[in-house]
Amino acid sequence: METILLIICPIIYLLAALLFYLQKNKTSRFLLFAAAFLHLALLLVRSLIAKHPPFTNMYETFLLLPFLIALRCIVWPKQSARSLHPLLFIISAAFLLAALLLPASMSDPRPLMPALNSPWMYIHVPAYFFAYMSLIVALIYALMILFRDKKGREAGLRDLCEKMDKEIRISFFFLNLGLITGAVWAYVSWGNYWSWDPKETWALINILILAFALHLKAPTPQKKAWIVIVTVLSVAFTYWGVTFILAGLHSYA
Amino acid sequence: MNKKSFYMTGIRVFQVLTLLLLLLLIVSTFIPQQNMFPPGEYPGKSNVLTKVLFLDRFYDSPLNAGLWLLLSLSMIAAVLLKAVHSKGQRLLHFILALVFLAVAFDKFSNERFMISIREGETLPLHEQLRLPERYGPQQITLQRFEMEMHEDGQTPKAFRSHLLLNDEESVLEVNKPLSIGPYRLYQSAYENEYYFLFRFGDLEKEMRFGDTLHVWGKTLMLEDYDHQRRQFRLSLDGESVSVPLMGGTMISGSAAAIRPLGERYISVIEVAEVRGLWVLLLASLLYLVVMATDFRLFQKDGGRD
């Protein structure tokens, strides 16, 4: 059941993207709703199989992140430019297909270790994935700013920068929320809210890099765009690199 | 200096401090830190740069503490000199500086240590805890260590210490700390320990790996177990001796045999002083609330210019 849903969902997301491109907006929106509904079913099935919420390992977060992206397009459609939606559908499909290709050792459900059995997990992990979701949107704006035709209208550039700014702030807020709730959780579990664990340190590094975008001497859209790209690379390293290269308290994540 | 030059200086100070911090933090995550290894077992090599920048012990170094302190002071200065534009931003920077200072207060003044306690063992705590006399003598006994496993039989579902804390029965579990005045006890981890019955001539003694025994003026230590050869390794006055798992051997003319008795748990408990931590928690929450308000995250019109 889980695998079937995992195959169907990305196909519908890709179809929705194609129909949006062909300007069949109503059908595309209907398909987005259908894909999100099935995606929710996928998360529920996974939760039932694993007996815990679907955000305790990389495979499960590969399911969660695209769902948040799809949910955002449904619940908060005006926040991002509508022209961005097909790209977001493609990104959602890509994450799900990547989840499908992960080896069984990474996708097999594993029971929760005692420290993870805490209500803080329900705030800490989704907070980070809300931040990552906004960073993905900010990254698209950043690339649009950098690869924009130089003859383009100044007003359009300003609009893109304003939208990217908003995403930077949302992401910055949720990165901070994730860090603080993680610290409270670590304090309740281990009696120490900060251990300089590699994942913790890199979470702090991400915030410090993004803080640069808010503290520029002469802020230009291009400078901010580059900072967003560096932050995304740093977040990607935190998400994948730290897990595989640097051992620590978050080795399971 | 006018407001604009204060602003520019503030931004520049932030950029320099943050860049330095970023660089040092990134590099230090790839260098094994000395506090992760027992004394004398550090595998890394320290060159001049590593020593000067404390890269092999960066997190506990004065350089790390100094940079965060400077960052906090620069934020307070930016607020006091009105180098930050809006009231919301001034409040945000002030609260963040407060968060950093509360962390510094906690790290420098609050005690934090680990205790390892075996089943059936009693440990005095009053020497380690800075408590007023009214709390009386503090002692902790581990009556029993309980392990609950998941259905796979391999992953622990929960583990808990059944404690006698000053003659009062208490259960300490992961995510459920216990309190003694301004201290909290946390179920941090556990270890397994194997016990053996060592027979040497007429002598019978319960031993663990690493235990020593003095017999006939000689020192005997149970070192470890060789799984391939299925034999125990002992040292007798520094000389290596082997005792097979099944059966025994002769040591210095006496029959020696070792029989496994089973395993017992050692509960690892973190004891942390939490004086003033409510300030840190409150300031962190306030920081998030002010940020959400100042960034206008939940307004339909989009962000602030």
Side-chain angles (χ1 to χ4, degrees), chain A residues 197-207 209 233-235 237-238 242 246, chain B residues 25-27 29-30:
Chain A
D197 166 69
K199 204 105 176 178
E200 282 175 5
T201 310
W202 273 90
L204 182 65
I205 288 167
N206 296 336
I207 290 177
I209 296 173
L233 291 175
S234 173
V235 162
F237 182 75
T238 312
V242 175
L246 306 169
Chain B
L25 285 175
I26 290 172
V27 174
T29 56
F30 291 98

Side-chain angles (χ1 to χ4, degrees), chain B residues 227-271:
Chain B
H227 288 271
Q228 271 190 329
R229 295 181 180 158
R230 294 170 67 82
Q231 61 187 24
F232 291 94
R233 272 196 291 255
L234 295 98
S235 76
L236 185 70
D237 274 352
E239 272 184 49
S240 189
V241 185
S242 299
V243 178
L245 173 64
M246 309 302 280
T249 192
M250 298 297 281
I251 300 176
S252 299
S254 295
I258 299 173
R259 184 164 62 86
L261 287 178
E263 63 177 327
R264 284 179 206 166
Y265 286 108
I266 301 175
S267 177
V268 181
I269 297 170
E270 170 118 12
V271 185

